[in-house]
Amino acid sequence: MFHVKHFDVVVIGGGHAGAEAAAASARIGARTALISMRKDRIGVMSCNPAIGGLGKGHLVREIDALDGIMGLAADSAGIQFRLLNRRKGPAVQGPRTQADRKLYRDAIQDLLGTQSGLDVIEGEVVDLVQDKAGRVTGVELLDGSVLDATAVVLTAGTFLNGVIHIGDQRRSGGREGDVASIRLGQRLSGFGLKRGRLKTGTPPRLDGRTIEWRGLDEQPGDENPVMLSFLNKAPAVRQVACGITHTNERTHDIVRANLGRSAMYGGHIEGVGPRYCPSIEDKVVRFADKSGHQIFLEPEGLDDHTIYPNGISTSLPAEVQNEYVRSIRGLENVVILQPGYAIEYDYFDPSELHSDLQSQIPGLYFAGQINGTTGYEEAAAQGLVAGANAAAAALGRDPILFSRADSYIGVMLDDLRSRGVTEPYRMFTSRAEFRLHLRADNADQRLTPLGLTAGLVGRARAAHFQEKMSRLADANDILSARSCTPLELQSVGLAVSQNGARRSVLEVIASYDIDWSHVLHLVPDAVMIDTETKEQVWRDALYAQYLDRQRADAEALQRNELVKIPANLNFAELPGLSNELAAKLTRHRPENLAEAERIEGMTPAALLLILAHCRKAEPARAVAR
C-alpha cells in the first residue's frame, strides 16, 4: 500500500452528480480528485438522451446560475430544443434538449479537463479510510493506493450492489457495460445507516435504419430555441426531429401474456421503481383502459443510428421485447441493438442527511441516486451542493445552504431530508410553493449572487451576469420613469378607469395586456431595450403583482430557518411535547424551526415549545434576530 498526495476533497463516481460535485469543489478552490472506474465513461448519459424538462429544467438553470457545467454541456450537445409548457406562464415552463450522447460526454470531459485544481483518477474505490474518531479521511483504491482527503463525496449512482434484470436473468452491474461496486457497498453496510433498495429501468435501443419512418408523426424542435445555459444564445450543432408512434392492443396483449416473465412482476426485484416513469408492464396494468401509449423515437446522436424509444422501458425477457416492439406501428421490422433492462441498487435514507448533504458519518457526503432520487438533473444539483459544501468545510468556510424560498434545489433538499423517500424522487414544479418566484428564467437573478459570495462563480460568468443586471436596471428605470394618465393609456387602446390615477409604464405592463408597440408609443426611449432584456422585464413585471403574498410567506420561512435547533437537544425531555412528536423529531433531527414545522403531525403548540427552548439556550442569538 502506498500514499499519493493529499486532496481537500475526493469525489467518488463520474456520473452527473460526481461531475458537478468535482467541478464545484474545484471552482471554490479546493484541491479535488474525481475517481471513476473508467475515465472514458465520465459524463455518460445512462438512460434517456435528454436534459431538462418540467421542474428538471429549473434545476439545470439553477446549476447554471451557480456556474455549473450541465447546462453548458447540454447546449453544446443539443440536437433538439423545446420549451415545455410554452403556452402556459413562465413559472411552469421548462427548457429541455434532446442531446447527442457522444457530444454530451465529450463536453463534460472537456469541461472537467480544463478545470484548474481538479485531478481525474481512474480506479475503483473499495474502502473508506477513517480516523480514530470515525471521521472519513480518505479512500482506498482496488490497487491498494490511498488518497487522503479532508472530505469525501460519494456519488455512486446505480452502482452500489447494482443488479441488472432482464426477465428471469440477473447479473451484477452498475449499468449496461459497467461493473457494480460491491466491496464499497459492503463497507458502507457497516456504518449503521438506514438503507434500502430502489430500481429503475430503460427501454430497448433500436436501430433507426430499420424503422419505417414514413407514416409516423414527427416532432420538430422549437423555431426559436431556448438554451439551458444563460451564457448561450443558439444551438451549437445541427438540429433534428423526433418520431412519434404508439403502442396498441396487440402490444398490450403480448405484455399481459408475459407479465409473469417480467423481472418486476415475476417477483425478482424487491426495489421500488419510479411511479412517474412507469415501465410498459406498469402502464398495461395500471392503465388497463387505455388502448395505446405514446412513444417518442429519440435519436441518440447525429452520427449514431441508435434510437431511444421513450415510453417503453421494460424488464421482460429479450425475446418478448422483440415481439412486443415489433407489434408497434413503424417498428414491424426493427432490429433491437440492446434489450431494455431494470437495475436494482442500494440507496440510503436521505432523512438522515444534514442540510449540506453530509451524512451521519463526519466527512462523508452523499449526492445523487444514493439519496433516493432519479434523474440526471436531480443528481447534478445534489452533486453541486455536496461538492461545494465538502470544499467549504475542507477550507474552513461556512456551509452553502439553500432554502425552499430561493430555489428548486432548496425544495428538493428539504423534501428529501424532511420526508425521506418511498420511491425514487423526481422534481416537479408542483413541489414548489413559491413557484411564481422560482422560475427558470430568473434562476440567475436568484442564485448567482449566492454563487458569487460562495466563490462558486468564475470571472466570465460574473461579468456576464453583471452586464445583464445592468441592462435590466436601465430598462426598468426607463419604463418606471414615464408616468401616464388614464387618457394617455386610453389613447393606445387600454380600457382603464378614468379615476385620475397615474401609472408608470412598468406598472401598466404588469397589469394590462399591452403590446410592445404601445410601450414604444408611450416611451420612445424604450427602443434602446434589446429583445432579451425586454422579454425578461416583461416576465418579471407579469409576476410582480402576485409576489407580495409569496414574498411574505418566503420571509416567514426564512426567519424560521434562522432559528437553529441545537444538535444535542433531547426532544424526549421537552415538557409538554407528545411522545409521538418527540420520536419523529428525534428521527428527523431538524436543524431549524422551519424544518421542524414541516414534520408530519407538527402542531403550533409544539413549535412554540421548541422555539422557547432554542431562545433559552441561545439568548444572545435570539435577541439579535
Side-chain angles (χ1 to χ4, degrees):
M1 181 181 294
F2 60 95
H3 285 72
V4 299
K5 54 189 174 182
H6 172 84
F7 291 93
D8 296 312
V9 176
V10 167
V11 178
I12 305 171
H16 302 284
E20 213 66 65
S25 174
R27 283 202 308 281
I28 282 182
R31 183 64 191 278
T32 306
L34 172 61
I35 305 175
S36 175
M37 289 187 185
R38 290 174 54 183
K39 284 185 178 181
D40 64 336
R41 300 283 278 175
I42 292 174
V44 164
M45 306 175 84
S46 303
C47 195
N48 65 312
I51 299 289
L54 302 180
K56 293 171 175 285
H58 291 70
L59 288 173
V60 179
R61 281 286 181 84
E62 291 181 354
I63 293 167
D64 188 70
L66 295 163
D67 218 5
I69 62 176
M70 175 170 268
L72 293 170
D75 283 351
S76 68
I79 58 178
Q80 185 195 96
F81 290 86
R82 296 181 64 233
L83 183 65
L84 306 189
N85 276 352
R86 183 179 282 272
R87 295 181 181 179
K88 298 183 179 180
V92 293
Q93 291 174 349
R96 181 184 189 272
T97 185
Q98 193 74 26
D100 181 304
R101 286 187 189 274
K102 180 178 181 297
L103 293 178
Y104 184 85
R105 182 195 65 205
D106 291 348
I108 290 291
Q109 292 181 13
D110 288 346
L111 288 163
L112 294 175
T114 56
Q115 175 63 57
S116 62
L118 174 61
D119 290 355
V120 179
I121 298 171
E122 188 169 78
E124 180 183 352
V125 174
V126 296
D127 200 0
L128 299 174
V129 180
Q130 292 177 283
D131 63 17
K132 292 181 180 179
R135 182 178 187 85
V136 172
T137 59
V139 303
E140 181 183 340
L141 304 185
L142 183 61
D143 64 5
S145 61
V146 173
L147 306 186
D148 294 328
T150 306
V152 172
V153 181
L154 178 55
T155 67
T158 59
F159 280 65
L160 280 183
N161 293 316
V163 176
I164 292 173
H165 297 264
I166 304 177
D168 60 0
Q169 298 179 12
R170 52 180 289 161
R171 65 178 185 274
S172 175
R175 62 187 168 204
E176 186 62 41
D178 289 298
V179 298
S181 182
I182 304 299
R183 286 180 59 179
L184 183 58
Q186 293 171 342
R187 175 71 167 95
L188 288 167
S189 66
F191 283 151
L193 302 173
K194 292 171 63 178
R195 64 194 295 173
R197 298 282 279 176
L198 293 174
K199 76 100 176 173
T200 188
T202 71
R205 306 304 200 271
L206 311 179
D207 187 337
R209 295 167 296 186
T210 61
I211 294 176
E212 181 55 63
W213 295 97
R214 290 176 298 180
L216 294 183
D217 295 330
E218 184 178 84
Q219 182 190 64
D222 291 343
E223 289 186 13
N224 299 304
V226 174
M227 302 292 100
L228 277 86
S229 173
F230 288 102
L231 299 185
N232 296 320
K233 308 299 180 189
V237 296
R238 176 169 59 88
Q239 301 297 283
V240 301
C242 294
I244 299 176
T245 185
H246 297 80
T247 63
N248 52 59
E249 287 291 2
R250 181 168 171 242
T251 312
H252 299 178
D253 287 342
I254 294 169
V255 172
R256 272 190 290 265
N258 289 278
L259 279 176
R261 303 181 66 192
S262 162
M264 187 66 182
Y265 282 83
H268 303 292
I269 298 178
E270 62 179 273
V272 180
R275 178 162 42 112
Y276 302 104
C277 187
S279 66
I280 185 60
E281 296 99 298
D282 287 328
K283 290 180 178 180
V284 168
V285 172
R286 287 165 48 189
F287 310 106
D289 58 325
K290 293 198 67 172
S291 59
H293 297 280
Q294 193 172 54
I295 304 169
F296 292 96
L297 301 173
E298 301 173 345
E300 294 201 352
L302 295 176
D303 59 356
D304 187 346
H305 298 296
T306 307
I307 298 296
Y308 181 95
N310 195 336
I312 54 170
S313 66
T314 185
S315 62
L316 284 162
E319 64 272 19
V320 178
Q321 293 183 41
N322 191 64
E323 185 180 1
Y324 85 69
V325 167
R326 288 191 168 193
S327 72
I328 297 167
R329 183 164 62 94
L331 310 183
E332 292 87 353
N333 298 302
V334 77
V335 172
I336 293 179
L337 301 174
Q338 174 190 303
Y341 62 89
I343 183 165
E344 190 178 20
Y345 55 93
D346 286 356
Y347 81 99
F348 290 90
D349 184 356
S351 68
E352 294 189 334
L353 294 170
H354 297 289
S355 53
D356 59 358
L357 290 185
Q358 187 170 196
S359 72
Q360 295 294 313
I361 310 302
L364 179 61
Y365 296 73
F366 288 163
Q369 285 176 283
I370 193 172
N371 290 336
T373 62
T374 183
Y376 304 152
E377 303 81 2
E378 291 87 347
Q382 292 171 72
L384 186 147
V385 174
N389 276 295
L395 299 174
R397 301 178 189 173
D398 291 335
I400 304 159
L401 304 179
F402 296 82
S403 165
R404 297 186 75 91
D406 64 28
S407 61
Y408 273 85
I409 293 176
V411 171
M412 175 177 62
L413 298 184
D414 185 72
D415 283 349
L416 292 172
R417 294 185 60 247
S418 64
R419 302 173 185 175
V421 296
T422 55
E423 62 181 342
Y425 178 96
R426 178 179 178 177
M427 178 52 69
F428 296 101
T429 55
S430 58
R431 295 190 187 274
E433 56 269 60
F434 305 122
R435 58 184 170 273
L436 296 185
H437 174 55
L438 306 183
R439 308 190 307 273
D441 66 86
N442 70 356
D444 55 346
Q445 297 178 65
R446 292 184 281 110
L447 293 181
T448 300
L450 171 65
L452 286 165
T453 301
L456 269 168
V457 174
R459 292 181 181 178
R461 175 83 57 171
H464 181 274
F465 175 70
Q466 288 159 0
E467 193 269 336
K468 173 182 176 177
M469 294 308 293
S470 176
R471 286 187 283 110
L472 274 175
D474 290 345
N476 282 314
D477 287 345
I478 291 171
L479 297 172
S480 297
R482 174 69 164 95
S483 179
C484 304
T485 66
L487 283 176
E488 288 175 311
L489 295 177
Q490 275 193 339
S491 71
V492 296
L494 294 181
V496 298
S497 59
Q498 295 300 307
N499 57 7
R502 300 179 71 92
R503 297 176 176 86
S504 73
V505 173
L506 193 61
E507 291 173 323
V508 172
I509 290 174
S511 304
Y512 296 94
D513 185 13
I514 181 173
D515 189 82
W516 192 253
S517 62
H518 298 147
V519 172
L520 292 177
H521 180 79
L522 296 168
V523 190
D525 285 350
V527 72
M528 301 164 52
I529 303 173
D530 64 274
T531 300
E532 180 183 352
T533 303
K534 175 185 69 178
E535 291 175 351
Q536 190 61 55
V537 167
W538 206 283
R539 287 189 290 261
D540 289 343
L542 174 65
Y543 287 102
Q545 59 185 319
Y546 302 109
L547 289 178
D548 287 344
R549 175 61 186 274
Q550 282 202 356
R551 189 175 292 112
D553 291 342
E555 289 172 355
L557 171 64
Q558 290 172 321
R559 283 195 300 272
N560 284 343
E561 287 175 336
L562 291 174
V563 181
K564 303 300 181 183
I565 298 175
N568 60 353
L569 175 58
N570 188 340
F571 293 103
E573 293 181 355
L574 282 186
L577 195 64
S578 71
N579 291 336
E580 180 185 0
L581 277 179
K584 288 183 177 180
L585 287 161
T586 300
R587 183 168 65 253
H588 288 286
R589 297 303 320 180
E591 296 182 6
N592 57 58
L593 198 65
E595 292 182 4
E597 186 176 17
R598 288 188 291 278
I599 290 177
E600 184 182 6
M602 183 56 62
T603 65
L607 286 173
L608 286 174
L609 283 172
I610 298 169
L611 177 60
H613 181 87
C614 293
R615 286 177 172 167
K616 181 179 178 181
E618 301 180 78
R621 186 182 297 179
V623 169
R625 292 193 192 107

